[in-house]
Amino acid sequence: MNKIYGVVTGSAVAGAVTGWMARVLWLWAIAEEQRRCADSVTLCFSLYPLVGIGLWALFAVPVLLLALWMLGVRPLKATVAASFALQWFIIAVLAGLSRRDLPESVPLTVGAMAVGPALVALCVDPARRRAGLVGTGALVAVCLSLVWFSIHVSGSFL
């Protein structure tokens, strides 16, 4: 097996793990906020959504850092930052398109989040950089077109 296939697969697994963590922490934060605000008769705001996002960032960055370091993806800091930023973008788009402000589908969320680090790892390989850049651009274009379509169909986003 070629080394790049192992790197892309490992990066996708790390992305899927962080995608699963994002969904679990998002569900926890929303459940806690609803539990806390259940007895409120006025507007109720809590810090649980921010805590959920912060915990995801706190856990996702070390997972990506460790996985990409073990896979030998270099430059490490840039690829971790790019992977995390792409995952952040994907989760924000998926949540914004949802009716309940969270990504509805577990396979869609985990799959989309797995694609981000895999494409970033593909961009690092000089022989496959163009394919990685085209794939990353296509992923961002699809996400942005979903946002555009959501705004024009429903009249709002987020």
Side-chain angles (χ1 to χ4, degrees), residues 55-139:
L55 284 174
W56 176 64
L58 186 70
F59 294 142
V61 171
V63 166
L64 289 171
L65 184 67
L66 180 66
L68 295 177
W69 173 74
M70 288 174 55
L71 292 168
V73 177
R74 302 292 184 265
L76 189 59
K77 292 177 186 175
T79 54
V80 169
S83 296
F84 184 74
L86 196 52
Q87 282 191 322
W88 180 265
F89 176 70
I90 291 167
I91 198 79
V93 168
L94 289 177
L97 296 175
S98 168
R99 283 175 258 123
R100 298 184 318 163
D101 291 334
L102 69 140
E104 298 282 342
S105 166
V106 175
L108 175 64
T109 303
V110 172
M113 299 276 284
V115 171
L119 287 173
V120 170
L122 198 60
C123 289
V124 173
D125 184 37
R128 293 167 183 84
R129 183 168 291 142
R130 182 172 299 199
L133 291 172
V134 167
T136 303
L139 179 66

